[in-house]
Amino acid sequence: MAKGNHKRIRGNPRIHALLEHYQPIEGVVDEMVDASGNPRPVWKDFIEALDEVGPEKLAQRFARADQYLRDAGVYYRVYDKAGTNEREWPLAHVPLLIEDGEWQAISAGLIQRAELFEETIADIYGPNQLVEKGILPAGLIAASPEYLRPMVGIRPAEGHFLHFCAFELGRGPNGEWWVLGDRTQAPSGAGFALENRVATTRALSDIYGEMHVHRLAGFFRRFRDALIGMAREGDGRVAILTPGPLNETYYEHAYIARYLGIMLLEGEDLTVSDGRLMVRTVSGLTPISVLWRRLDAAFADPLELRPDSQIGTPGLVEAIRHGAVSTVNALGSGLMETRALLAFLPKISRALRGEELLLPSVATWWCGQATERAHVLANIERMVIGPALSTRLAFEDDEQTKLGSALTDGERAELVARIERDGGDFVGQEAVTLSTTPVYVDGWLEPRPASLRVYLARTPEGWTVMPGGFARVGLSLDPTAIAMQRGGQAADVWVVSERPVERETLLPQESDSFTRTRPGSLPSRAAENLTWLGRYIERSEDTVRILRAYHVRLAETSDPDMPLLADVRDYLEPFGIDVETAIPSALIGTLDSAVYSAGQIRDRFSPDGWLALKDLSKTIHQFATTVAPGDDATRAMTVILRKLAGFSGLLHENMYRFAGWRFLEIGRRLERGIQIARTLSRLTSANAPDGALDMMLEIGDSVMTHRRQYPVQTGRRTVIDLLALDPLNPRSILFQLERLKAEIGLLPALGGQGHMSPAAKAILQLNTQIAIKEPSDMTPKALDALATEIGSLYNSLAKAYFG
């Protein structure tokens, strides 16, 4: 970042208060103020509106925006020396404003660039005339890890290599926009752009409403419709392919899938059968026609690409070769991100399109050519030197990229020697001085360097440009600190018109006809995670109920050695539950497992459900360090039970009653049946201590029901009748079996209509056996056997639906 003298803002005294400390940097273009220090026209009304709100209310508004992002669970994953961890989304609350006319010029330049890239990729993987004519060096292309030889000669099924692109822009010292880097592999950030917009408009809804800001929804609606249109076959589906929850932008993958109503898949969900790409679902194999991939192409197929990939799908390249599936973008298109190719784009544009680039790239020289290498070496002081085949931006690649002016004499001599020896491995680029945009810091606006990421999507009518995008803003004046992995912030981008703009949404027009479609097929992996989510939540609730009953009695007697408490400790010990700790680690682990299972299916999880689950997890982790055994633990368990009930209620009342909800319900009923059977066996045995039956009713949440149903003193037979054999008690074993019979019976039929699955047969048989039992038949041995039989139902389900 160039540094120099600062200057005061001039102009309207009405906005002087907010800008009193705003000091643009001499020689650096500022997005908000012009060279004279006056606010640009597009910013003037915005700043005046901010000033009217005042610092105190602005801080409150921005805090609400941050709270929204936390509640929505927006995060990104950071990789550092300490490992990987999730961080809250760092919103820069002040949007970057761009005038509509300027945006149209940017859009035209990027559409031209996208078309040029399409033609370039088609040539490289096709006739290869650019190499043949000497416009592109053959060695540079062949050396790139993004050049995928198995894709040579393959023409995409729908005719296009590129469908969704992003371009990183920066404003140069002359005030014009430059392209700093290209994103054609699997561009990220579009979902975060949506969340930036939602959060920013929540804070500045009145200002947003008064300004003519272009909406984002239309861009996504047109692209969604284009994807659906690409799925030509009647039985084909559209899916998003993600590397999985450990990817740094997984949240965005799940968000986009949920927002567009598209299936989110991992490589293990897919298989190639008879040359077609299929997804494993609970209804069997279902074809996929369009795959919007969000993982790097080299990892997509371990058979023909990277053999060490654990996240790809064997045979995917063969399916593409046969035209059975369209990928967005085509495998191998990441080649266009190669940093060295920036040096050749002007010549390529003239050769393929007969025109100059409307938006220039940052000046780049590939050192594999003698003249260019000499130029770089002669001007190394004002160059950024980096790896030629890198696909990262210069200011992101801080370990391998060197700023010539920052090198010591020894470092410079060593680098020069390397360039002279292995010139083809290096590029020199003009050192970028990014323009600055305002950020809100402690009640004032201050300038920070920023870059702009803009998204383009192909539709049947041609390329469409997202009217806005995603601005990366630094926390300091260091331009290398705008990268998210290095602590940068993200700002919304408002494209402001002088006239009212169309209020586009993802919804159809009132006049449009529609048909109600059945929900999409449920991937087997999602069904398995939903089942285990239900099980983990129910297991947590059962454990909490037992622990609360234990601590109630401990608080009353202060005698941990009383027979009933000792018996409960002995019962829980094999399950790893240590009651001497108020919040046992086993309970925390079970809830953590629930969060993990839910995290695997974020696209199928409502924001409210996720917020409730994370709040539950946060609560139990806090209690682990603050709660003592006895009365304190009793109150903590009651709080946890209420939050468990709230979470379960959200799922029960809000989830659509299709296969996903059904597997979640099956998991809950399986686990409740198992836990009630086990606990009944222990607390209703002949040698159970005094008070065991009353504790059993308490654990089974059936104390009041027992008093109403049985006008006699509590006895073993009445407790077993109520908690094992009563079909109307939602806590009884028979009730769980009835629910399991109903839900398993509604699962998709496998092996042909009219044939009962092994799980359906097993639950029907088990339900019938228990329905005719008497309380005297339910001995501890019989109850233990019943718990085992209920558990075996999961194995039958897993074999049929999760394999």
Side-chain angles (χ1 to χ4, degrees):
M1 169 59 64
K3 297 185 179 180
N5 297 325
H6 296 86
K7 54 189 176 185
R8 289 286 183 182
I9 297 296
R10 304 174 186 173
N12 193 337
R14 181 182 178 188
I15 62 175
H16 179 74
L18 189 63
L19 299 179
E20 184 176 350
H21 294 279
Y22 198 83
Q23 297 179 327
I25 301 177
E26 196 73 37
V28 176
V29 174
D30 190 89
E31 296 295 330
M32 185 177 66
V33 299
D34 59 24
S36 300
N38 296 311
R40 301 179 191 275
V42 72
W43 283 89
K44 183 175 178 294
D45 291 341
F46 177 81
I47 297 301
E48 288 183 357
L50 284 186
D51 195 55
E52 287 181 359
V53 174
E56 184 176 344
K57 288 186 177 180
L58 269 182
Q60 294 172 355
R61 290 184 176 204
F62 293 154
R64 286 201 299 269
D66 293 335
Q67 186 62 51
Y68 160 76
L69 293 170
R70 285 192 293 270
D71 290 348
V74 184
Y75 74 92
Y76 71 107
R77 192 173 297 278
V78 174
Y79 303 93
D80 52 30
K81 295 179 180 179
T84 66
N85 58 84
E86 295 178 4
R87 289 187 183 172
E88 294 180 355
W89 188 245
L91 178 68
H93 304 98
V94 178
L96 172 61
L97 274 54
I98 299 178
E99 190 270 332
D100 194 18
E102 184 176 25
W103 189 259
Q104 297 307 316
I106 291 173
S107 298
L110 294 182
I111 289 173
Q112 179 205 46
R113 195 177 187 91
E115 289 291 356
L116 175 62
F117 281 16
E118 172 71 29
E119 295 179 28
T120 303
I121 297 170
D123 177 78
I124 291 173
Y125 287 100
N128 218 4
Q129 292 182 356
L130 291 171
V131 171
E132 182 180 333
K133 295 178 180 179
I135 297 172
L136 271 178
L140 177 63
I141 301 300
S144 173
E146 300 301 333
Y147 176 64
L148 305 181
R149 287 175 175 78
M151 305 309 298
V152 173
I154 299 178
R155 186 73 184 175
E158 78 297 334
H160 295 291
F161 289 84
L162 296 179
H163 302 269
F164 193 84
C165 306
F167 300 97
E168 199 84 20
L169 307 181
R171 195 188 290 274
N174 63 353
E176 300 298 323
W177 290 96
W178 290 352
V179 178
L180 306 177
D182 308 290
R183 292 289 177 259
T184 55
Q185 174 77 267
S188 64
F192 290 125
L194 276 170
E195 287 286 35
N196 286 345
R197 175 61 55 88
V198 173
T200 303
T201 53
R202 286 203 175 192
L204 306 173
S205 57
D206 50 346
I207 302 175
Y208 180 79
E210 292 175 359
M211 300 183 72
H212 305 314
V213 181
H214 286 275
R215 307 299 177 99
L216 304 182
F219 171 84
F220 288 96
R221 186 188 69 246
R222 288 186 283 275
F223 185 51
R224 178 199 61 189
D225 294 346
L227 291 174
I228 294 172
M230 289 168 60
R232 298 176 306 280
E233 302 176 45
D235 61 345
R237 296 179 181 272
V238 180
I240 296 175
L241 179 62
T242 174
L246 294 181
N247 183 261
E248 63 181 3
T249 57
Y250 174 75
Y251 169 84
E252 184 207 359
H253 306 167
Y255 178 85
I256 287 288
R258 187 169 61 242
Y259 182 73
L260 299 182
I262 296 176
M263 192 182 306
L264 183 66
L265 303 176
E266 295 181 29
E268 64 181 285
D269 295 326
L270 297 165
T271 187
V272 176
S273 178
D274 296 327
R276 298 193 67 187
L277 185 66
M278 315 289 280
V279 56
R280 298 181 178 92
T281 77
V282 296
S283 302
L285 295 179
T286 301
I288 296 292
S289 293
V290 179
L291 198 63
W292 182 5
R293 63 177 181 85
R294 297 301 303 271
L295 82 168
D296 289 352
F299 293 91
D301 184 347
L303 285 183
E304 298 201 46
L305 300 173
R306 284 191 57 157
D308 60 336
S309 172
Q310 301 294 316
I311 56 176
T313 302
L316 176 59
V317 169
E318 187 64 17
I320 295 171
R321 190 175 286 125
H322 290 155
V325 63
S326 299
T327 54
V328 177
N329 290 321
L331 301 184
S333 57
L335 177 66
M336 297 307 300
E337 296 184 1
T338 305
R339 197 182 297 179
L341 285 185
L342 292 173
F344 300 93
L345 288 182
K347 187 183 296 186
I348 294 173
S349 182
R350 290 190 289 270
L352 293 182
R353 301 179 61 84
E355 56 191 27
E356 299 295 330
L357 292 174
L358 297 177
L359 275 180
S361 307
V362 60
T364 304
W365 296 266
W366 179 52
C367 296
Q369 299 166 302
T371 302
E372 286 73 10
R373 180 169 59 250
H375 175 79
V376 169
L377 293 176
N379 297 275
I380 197 168
E381 286 288 334
R382 59 183 185 88
M383 290 279 185
V384 173
I385 311 297
L389 301 180
S390 174
T391 58
R392 302 180 67 186
L393 302 184
F395 55 75
E396 293 177 332
D397 206 1
D398 55 306
E399 291 187 1
Q400 299 185 60
T401 300
K402 308 298 182 183
L403 180 62
S405 60
L407 298 175
T408 65
D409 291 342
E411 290 171 337
R412 187 179 303 106
E414 180 183 353
L415 181 58
V416 167
R418 291 178 61 194
I419 293 173
E420 290 176 338
R421 184 179 67 249
D422 302 308
D425 294 342
F426 297 91
V427 290
Q429 292 184 293
E430 185 174 342
V432 175
T433 300
L434 295 173
S435 62
T436 56
T437 192
V439 297
Y440 191 78
V441 181
D442 298 330
W444 307 101
L445 293 180
E446 295 183 6
R448 293 291 185 271
S451 69
L452 171 64
R453 182 173 294 185
V454 185
Y455 300 89
L456 280 73
R458 185 185 294 280
T459 72
E461 293 74 35
W463 288 100
T464 182
V465 181
M466 182 193 292
F470 176 94
R472 297 196 289 176
V473 184
L475 286 174
S476 68
L477 294 177
D478 178 5
T480 67
I482 73 169
M484 304 303 292
Q485 291 288 330
R486 300 195 64 205
Q489 296 176 296
D492 191 14
V493 178
W494 291 6
V495 177
V496 182
S497 174
E498 294 181 353
R499 297 178 296 276
V501 298
E502 184 179 355
R503 293 179 176 272
E504 295 187 279
T505 72
L506 222 59
L507 300 175
Q509 300 296 318
E510 281 294 324
S511 58
D512 293 347
S513 61
F514 72 92
T515 57
R516 178 185 294 165
T517 58
R518 298 294 292 170
S521 298
L522 181 68
S524 297
R525 179 183 54 83
E528 185 175 15
N529 277 293
L530 283 163
T531 303
W532 275 106
L533 174 61
R535 293 195 66 171
Y536 286 133
I537 290 298
E538 194 60 41
R539 188 177 298 177
S540 298
E541 181 177 341
D542 177 78
T543 302
V544 170
R545 290 187 178 277
I546 294 175
L547 290 172
R548 185 173 68 168
Y550 176 90
H551 286 288
V552 164
R553 286 154 181 79
L554 179 63
E556 291 172 349
T557 65
S558 298
D559 180 13
D561 295 325
M562 70 176 290
L564 180 57
L565 298 186
D567 193 63
V568 171
R569 286 198 301 274
D570 291 342
Y571 170 64
L572 294 176
E573 185 179 4
F575 303 108
I577 301 172
D578 178 13
V579 296
E580 294 183 3
T581 302
I583 308 294
S585 59
L587 174 59
I588 297 174
T590 301
L591 263 177
D592 286 344
S593 295
V595 173
Y596 175 81
S597 292
Q600 303 295 304
I601 46 174
R602 282 294 298 273
D603 60 310
R604 298 176 180 272
F605 226 69
S606 73
D608 286 339
W610 181 254
L611 176 61
L613 184 58
K614 291 294 284 186
D615 179 60
L616 178 59
S617 175
K618 179 180 178 181
T619 298
I620 200 166
H621 278 274
Q622 287 177 339
F623 282 164
T625 59
T626 60
V627 172
D631 189 57
D632 199 20
T634 301
R635 289 195 297 269
M637 295 302 167
T638 300
V639 171
I640 295 170
L641 275 178
R642 285 203 306 266
K643 294 196 174 189
L644 279 165
F647 173 72
S648 297
L650 271 172
L651 297 185
H652 185 78
E653 293 299 323
N654 294 344
M655 282 188 71
Y656 191 83
R657 295 303 196 265
F658 198 58
W661 178 86
R662 197 149 284 130
F663 279 99
L664 181 72
E665 179 72 358
I666 286 170
R668 291 180 61 218
R669 300 304 173 183
L670 280 173
E671 194 66 29
R672 184 175 292 184
I674 293 169
Q675 298 299 334
I676 289 292
R678 284 175 175 170
T679 314
L680 266 177
S681 171
R682 182 71 176 218
L683 295 181
T684 63
S685 65
N687 57 356
D690 289 342
L693 294 178
D694 290 328
M695 178 181 273
M696 185 66 239
L697 289 173
E698 188 178 325
I699 292 169
D701 199 20
S702 299
V703 174
M704 294 180 62
T705 305
H706 185 274
R707 289 172 184 169
R708 288 195 302 266
Q709 294 289 97
Y710 306 94
V712 296
Q713 189 175 3
T714 303
R716 180 180 183 276
R717 287 187 301 168
T718 61
V719 172
I720 289 178
D721 185 58
L722 181 60
L723 288 175
L725 304 176
D726 191 331
L728 301 181
N729 182 9
R731 292 284 168 179
S732 77
I733 299 172
L734 183 57
F735 186 93
Q736 314 314 312
L737 297 180
E738 292 280 4
R739 294 302 308 147
L740 285 168
K741 182 181 72 171
E743 300 305 335
I744 291 175
L746 292 172
L747 291 178
L750 298 174
Q753 295 290 337
H755 294 275
M756 293 182 68
S757 68
K761 292 178 181 178
I763 186 57
L764 177 61
Q765 183 179 24
L766 185 57
N767 182 73
T768 303
Q769 290 175 355
I770 300 304
I772 61 175
K773 294 289 187 182
E774 295 293 334
S776 58
D777 299 324
M778 307 305 291
T779 64
K781 183 177 180 180
L783 287 165
D784 286 336
L786 179 56
T788 301
E789 288 186 81
I790 296 173
S792 68
L793 290 173
Y794 175 81
N795 297 330
S796 297
L797 286 168
K799 184 176 181 181
Y801 295 103
F802 307 154

PDB file of all heavy atoms in Angstrom, residues 15 208 292 338 433 445 643 664 687 716 771 790:
ATOM      1  N   ILE A  15     -22.128  16.694   6.854  1.00  0.00           N
ATOM      2  CA  ILE A  15     -21.563  15.359   7.028  1.00  0.00           C
ATOM      3  C   ILE A  15     -20.154  15.415   7.624  1.00  0.00           C
ATOM      4  O   ILE A  15     -19.458  14.420   7.653  1.00  0.00           O
ATOM      5  CB  ILE A  15     -21.523  14.600   5.680  1.00  0.00           C
ATOM      6  CG1 ILE A  15     -20.634  15.332   4.674  1.00  0.00           C
ATOM      7  CG2 ILE A  15     -22.914  14.430   5.119  1.00  0.00           C
ATOM      8  CD1 ILE A  15     -20.460  14.576   3.381  1.00  0.00           C
ATOM      9  N   TYR A 208     -31.272   1.705   2.819  1.00  0.00           N
ATOM     10  CA  TYR A 208     -31.359   0.806   1.667  1.00  0.00           C
ATOM     11  C   TYR A 208     -32.670   1.018   0.922  1.00  0.00           C
ATOM     12  O   TYR A 208     -32.707   1.014  -0.317  1.00  0.00           O
ATOM     13  CB  TYR A 208     -31.240  -0.641   2.148  1.00  0.00           C
ATOM     14  CG  TYR A 208     -31.317  -1.676   1.067  1.00  0.00           C
ATOM     15  CD1 TYR A 208     -30.226  -1.970   0.260  1.00  0.00           C
ATOM     16  CD2 TYR A 208     -32.494  -2.401   0.851  1.00  0.00           C
ATOM     17  CE1 TYR A 208     -30.290  -2.942  -0.720  1.00  0.00           C
ATOM     18  CE2 TYR A 208     -32.578  -3.374  -0.121  1.00  0.00           C
ATOM     19  CZ  TYR A 208     -31.475  -3.643  -0.912  1.00  0.00           C
ATOM     20  OH  TYR A 208     -31.553  -4.611  -1.883  1.00  0.00           O
ATOM     21  N   TRP A 292     -23.218 -29.067 -10.154  1.00  0.00           N
ATOM     22  CA  TRP A 292     -22.508 -27.810  -9.872  1.00  0.00           C
ATOM     23  C   TRP A 292     -21.454 -28.140  -8.833  1.00  0.00           C
ATOM     24  O   TRP A 292     -21.744 -28.276  -7.662  1.00  0.00           O
ATOM     25  CB  TRP A 292     -23.492 -26.764  -9.358  1.00  0.00           C
ATOM     26  CG  TRP A 292     -22.870 -25.426  -9.093  1.00  0.00           C
ATOM     27  CD1 TRP A 292     -21.594 -25.033  -9.347  1.00  0.00           C
ATOM     28  CD2 TRP A 292     -23.517 -24.286  -8.513  1.00  0.00           C
ATOM     29  NE1 TRP A 292     -21.386 -23.735  -8.965  1.00  0.00           N
ATOM     30  CE2 TRP A 292     -22.558 -23.248  -8.446  1.00  0.00           C
ATOM     31  CE3 TRP A 292     -24.803 -24.042  -8.041  1.00  0.00           C
ATOM     32  CZ2 TRP A 292     -22.854 -21.993  -7.916  1.00  0.00           C
ATOM     33  CZ3 TRP A 292     -25.098 -22.789  -7.518  1.00  0.00           C
ATOM     34  CH2 TRP A 292     -24.129 -21.784  -7.466  1.00  0.00           C
ATOM     35  N   THR A 338      -4.646 -19.792 -13.743  1.00  0.00           N
ATOM     36  CA  THR A 338      -3.193 -19.772 -13.675  1.00  0.00           C
ATOM     37  C   THR A 338      -2.662 -18.352 -13.821  1.00  0.00           C
ATOM     38  O   THR A 338      -2.979 -17.640 -14.779  1.00  0.00           O
ATOM     39  CB  THR A 338      -2.594 -20.665 -14.780  1.00  0.00           C
ATOM     40  OG1 THR A 338      -3.160 -21.976 -14.663  1.00  0.00           O
ATOM     41  CG2 THR A 338      -1.079 -20.745 -14.645  1.00  0.00           C
ATOM     42  N   THR A 433      -1.559  -1.315  -5.949  1.00  0.00           N
ATOM     43  CA  THR A 433      -1.979  -0.359  -4.923  1.00  0.00           C
ATOM     44  C   THR A 433      -3.498  -0.331  -4.957  1.00  0.00           C
ATOM     45  O   THR A 433      -4.099   0.245  -5.869  1.00  0.00           O
ATOM     46  CB  THR A 433      -1.419   1.043  -5.194  1.00  0.00           C
ATOM     47  OG1 THR A 433       0.006   0.988  -5.203  1.00  0.00           O
ATOM     48  CG2 THR A 433      -1.883   2.016  -4.120  1.00  0.00           C
ATOM     49  N   LEU A 445     -15.569   6.858  10.322  1.00  0.00           N
ATOM     50  CA  LEU A 445     -15.227   6.167   9.083  1.00  0.00           C
ATOM     51  C   LEU A 445     -13.734   6.322   8.829  1.00  0.00           C
ATOM     52  O   LEU A 445     -13.174   7.405   8.984  1.00  0.00           O
ATOM     53  CB  LEU A 445     -16.016   6.747   7.908  1.00  0.00           C
ATOM     54  CG  LEU A 445     -17.522   6.513   7.936  1.00  0.00           C
ATOM     55  CD1 LEU A 445     -18.177   7.139   6.709  1.00  0.00           C
ATOM     56  CD2 LEU A 445     -17.855   5.035   8.018  1.00  0.00           C
ATOM     57  N   LYS A 643     -34.515 -26.900  26.758  1.00  0.00           N
ATOM     58  CA  LYS A 643     -33.923 -26.581  25.463  1.00  0.00           C
ATOM     59  C   LYS A 643     -33.965 -27.785  24.519  1.00  0.00           C
ATOM     60  O   LYS A 643     -34.144 -27.616  23.302  1.00  0.00           O
ATOM     61  CB  LYS A 643     -32.491 -26.081  25.649  1.00  0.00           C
ATOM     62  CG  LYS A 643     -32.444 -24.741  26.400  1.00  0.00           C
ATOM     63  CD  LYS A 643     -31.121 -24.029  26.266  1.00  0.00           C
ATOM     64  CE  LYS A 643     -31.198 -22.644  26.897  1.00  0.00           C
ATOM     65  NZ  LYS A 643     -30.020 -21.814  26.629  1.00  0.00           N
ATOM     66  N   LEU A 664     -35.617 -39.056  10.780  1.00  0.00           N
ATOM     67  CA  LEU A 664     -35.372 -38.394  12.059  1.00  0.00           C
ATOM     68  C   LEU A 664     -36.294 -38.965  13.136  1.00  0.00           C
ATOM     69  O   LEU A 664     -35.860 -39.266  14.256  1.00  0.00           O
ATOM     70  CB  LEU A 664     -35.603 -36.889  11.912  1.00  0.00           C
ATOM     71  CG  LEU A 664     -35.381 -36.027  13.148  1.00  0.00           C
ATOM     72  CD1 LEU A 664     -33.893 -35.927  13.466  1.00  0.00           C
ATOM     73  CD2 LEU A 664     -35.966 -34.640  12.946  1.00  0.00           C
ATOM     74  N   ASN A 687     -34.768 -57.008  42.865  1.00  0.00           N
ATOM     75  CA  ASN A 687     -33.814 -56.531  43.877  1.00  0.00           C
ATOM     76  C   ASN A 687     -33.511 -55.045  43.735  1.00  0.00           C
ATOM     77  O   ASN A 687     -32.511 -54.557  44.248  1.00  0.00           O
ATOM     78  CB  ASN A 687     -32.516 -57.351  43.796  1.00  0.00           C
ATOM     79  CG  ASN A 687     -31.895 -57.287  42.408  1.00  0.00           C
ATOM     80  OD1 ASN A 687     -32.466 -56.703  41.495  1.00  0.00           O
ATOM     81  ND2 ASN A 687     -30.722 -57.891  42.267  1.00  0.00           N
ATOM     82  N   ARG A 716     -44.769 -52.663  40.736  1.00  0.00           N
ATOM     83  CA  ARG A 716     -44.010 -53.052  39.560  1.00  0.00           C
ATOM     84  C   ARG A 716     -44.904 -53.228  38.336  1.00  0.00           C
ATOM     85  O   ARG A 716     -44.592 -52.765  37.239  1.00  0.00           O
ATOM     86  CB  ARG A 716     -43.232 -54.341  39.842  1.00  0.00           C
ATOM     87  CG  ARG A 716     -42.399 -54.811  38.654  1.00  0.00           C
ATOM     88  CD  ARG A 716     -41.640 -56.104  38.953  1.00  0.00           C
ATOM     89  NE  ARG A 716     -40.808 -56.458  37.805  1.00  0.00           N
ATOM     90  CZ  ARG A 716     -41.266 -57.135  36.746  1.00  0.00           C
ATOM     91  NH1 ARG A 716     -42.544 -57.489  36.694  1.00  0.00           N
ATOM     92  NH2 ARG A 716     -40.446 -57.423  35.736  1.00  0.00           N
ATOM     93  N   ALA A 771     -47.629 -56.158  21.848  1.00  0.00           N
ATOM     94  CA  ALA A 771     -49.004 -55.695  22.037  1.00  0.00           C
ATOM     95  C   ALA A 771     -49.852 -56.695  22.818  1.00  0.00           C
ATOM     96  O   ALA A 771     -50.831 -56.301  23.470  1.00  0.00           O
ATOM     97  CB  ALA A 771     -49.644 -55.415  20.682  1.00  0.00           C
ATOM     98  N   ILE A 790     -34.983 -54.049  19.523  1.00  0.00           N
ATOM     99  CA  ILE A 790     -35.245 -52.717  18.964  1.00  0.00           C
ATOM    100  C   ILE A 790     -33.970 -52.170  18.322  1.00  0.00           C
ATOM    101  O   ILE A 790     -34.003 -51.579  17.240  1.00  0.00           O
ATOM    102  CB  ILE A 790     -35.757 -51.760  20.057  1.00  0.00           C
ATOM    103  CG1 ILE A 790     -37.111 -52.245  20.602  1.00  0.00           C
ATOM    104  CG2 ILE A 790     -35.909 -50.342  19.513  1.00  0.00           C
ATOM    105  CD1 ILE A 790     -37.609 -51.461  21.806  1.00  0.00           C
TER     106      ILE A 790
END
